[in-house]
Amino acid sequence: MTNDINIAYIVETESYIEERKNEMPKNVYEFIKQVCQDERKYLDLVKQWREEKGL
């Protein structure tokens, strides 16, 4: 297992919704965008915790 955090799935999702944002209801687009932002924040916290613990 690696200590690197892979955010490729977030980047891919963000790219997908940006390309298709005019094809979906605005509330769906905004929700998915918020989920991606929240996931990035969570992963940043995990990375910070790992660094503090020396993992």
Side-chain angles (χ1 to χ4, degrees):
M1 185 172 163
T2 179
N3 286 340
D4 295 333
I5 297 174
N6 186 345
I7 65 164
Y9 68 96
I10 299 172
V11 173
E12 185 175 337
T13 301
E14 289 170 335
S15 176
Y16 178 85
I17 66 167
E18 284 302 319
E19 291 173 7
R20 290 168 178 77
K21 76 184 206 179
N22 294 328
E23 300 171 16
M24 64 180 79
K26 185 176 180 176
N27 61 337
V28 172
Y29 167 79
E30 292 295 331
F31 176 78
I32 297 171
K33 186 175 176 180
Q34 185 63 50
V35 169
C36 289
Q37 290 172 353
D38 291 348
E39 188 72 5
R40 283 179 180 269
K41 288 177 189 175
Y42 170 77
L43 293 176
D44 286 343
L45 287 172
V46 170
K47 182 179 177 183
Q48 180 183 355
W49 179 82
R50 286 181 174 177
E51 289 171 357
E52 289 174 2
K53 296 293 181 185
L55 300 176

